Amino acid sequence: MDTGVWSEMRTELWPDTSDCHLSEIGEYFDGNSIVIRQVYVIEQGQEIVGFIELNVRNYAEGSRNASVPYVEGWYVKPAFQGMGYGTYLMKQAESWALSLGFDEIASDAEVDNEASIRLHKKLGFGETDRIVCLLKALNAGQK
């Protein structure tokens, strides 16, 4: 797999996080990733045009299960959207989750990403909540 292309697509999906893509991809291939447990890519000819990254989380909004397969990232290049590639990737994710014995899969989308929310719903996802998640780094030397 071309890690550079995968990294570029991650940057398009998460433009504010380009500094960590290659290291996270490297951790995946080394078997040390805590973010990506499984990935599927889709190719058109010789070009990688999309990916879906999966993990198993200890918690997902709306689920009562102790662990839940989670779509961490799902992306198809704009020129290839609307051709069924995203649906194919999600079906791969669902098959992976079922193969592990799970009976549900979770995902998320930015609150203002209406296209992603519509596509998730079209593929059978139900909206469980709308939240803004916040995080504060605590500095040991801060008073």
Side-chain angles (χ1 to χ4, degrees), residues 21-135:
H21 297 312
L22 289 175
S23 63
E24 287 182 356
I25 290 169
E27 289 169 356
Y28 169 74
F29 283 113
D30 291 342
N32 299 320
S33 179
I34 61 170
V35 178
I36 310 166
R37 183 160 165 189
Q38 179 67 35
V39 65
Y40 294 100
V41 298
I42 191 142
E43 294 178 311
Q44 173 65 35
Q46 300 295 319
E47 181 180 2
I48 297 172
V49 300
F51 70 88
I52 195 163
E53 296 178 6
L54 307 163
N55 201 356
V56 177
R57 289 189 179 184
N58 294 333
Y59 175 78
E61 293 289 339
S63 176
R64 297 183 49 83
N65 290 326
S67 57
V68 182
Y70 205 93
V71 177
E72 299 290 350
W74 181 30
Y75 180 80
V76 174
K77 291 180 178 180
F80 297 92
Q81 292 175 5
M83 300 176 156
Y85 294 131
T87 299
Y88 176 81
L89 287 167
M90 189 59 75
K91 295 296 179 195
Q92 291 294 113
E94 292 170 7
S95 293
W96 172 77
L98 286 167
S99 77
L100 296 175
F102 292 100
D103 62 2
E104 62 185 356
I105 189 167
S107 186
D108 60 43
E110 297 289 330
V111 173
D112 61 350
N113 190 342
E114 291 299 326
S116 179
I117 293 167
R118 270 193 312 277
L119 183 54
H120 277 86
K121 288 180 177 180
K122 180 180 175 185
L123 295 177
F125 284 82
E127 186 172 325
T128 60
D129 205 351
R130 287 201 178 216
I131 60 171
V132 174
C133 299
L134 306 162
L135 179 69

